[in-house]
Amino acid sequence: MKKNGKYSEQELISAIVNRENVNQAIRFMYEGYYRYLENYVLQNSGSSDDAADMIQEAFLVFIKVVEENKFRQDSGVKSFLYSIVRNLWITELRKRKSMEIRNEMFENAKESVTLDISHSLVKHESHKLIMELFQSLGQKCKNILLLFYYENLPMKEIMEQEDYSSEQVLRNKKHKCLKSLIEKIQSDEKTYSTVKNALQYAG
């Protein structure tokens, strides 16, 4: 066991291969390389938690490569760990971007039916009817729909003004409000007829 807890690269590799004081060797890796690797993730749109996940996975990959005698030492341990973290983080960012695009497509599809009706409604001259419909949904829904369709405020501003925790939470709430609005319109024959005529008039 090394008294000072420090290793040369060859000693580090030897400790892992021979399973000698592996925990101490891993501790040395954390102390010696963690901040350097964390800095890469932080500078590339990541958080401290993201960095911790990437570094832990990178260390596991490195240990497995060394144990299987596949570490050729063409580059130093530090550079090798950096390349692993970099590849892992790039893959993660691509995955998140893909998820973001899928979520956006889902949101667009989810609202496609309600948007046409809502946009047509706000153009309709019967302001009183629209206000009554919005009011019947409750104050929260009324505020969201008025701010979005009448004030044309972006979701971020509405989120802050109405004190929602995130834009996604606000979008979900807006979707529920619009769904309730359409259900109310369809459940009342007189209202449905009035709105239908108004939509035809709005063209």
Side-chain angles (χ1 to χ4, degrees), residues 82-94:
Y82 177 87
S83 67
I84 296 174
V85 169
R86 182 175 178 275
N87 288 332
L88 288 172
W89 185 233
I90 288 173
T91 300
E92 177 63 22
L93 286 176
R94 284 175 180 162

Side-chain angles (χ1 to χ4, degrees), residues 2 9 21 95 98 106 162 186:
K2 296 184 71 61
E9 291 200 348
N21 302 316
K95 190 189 302 179
S98 177
F106 175 71
E162 294 297 308
Q186 292 177 336

Side-chain angles (χ1 to χ4, degrees), residues 58-87:
F59 282 176
L60 291 174
V61 170
F62 173 71
I63 290 169
K64 185 176 181 181
V65 168
V66 171
E67 286 179 339
E68 294 176 352
N69 291 312
K70 293 179 180 178
F71 182 56
R72 300 176 183 174
Q73 301 184 52
D74 295 333
S75 60
V77 172
K78 188 176 182 179
S79 297
F80 188 70
L81 286 169
Y82 177 87
S83 67
I84 296 174
V85 169
R86 182 175 178 275
N87 288 332

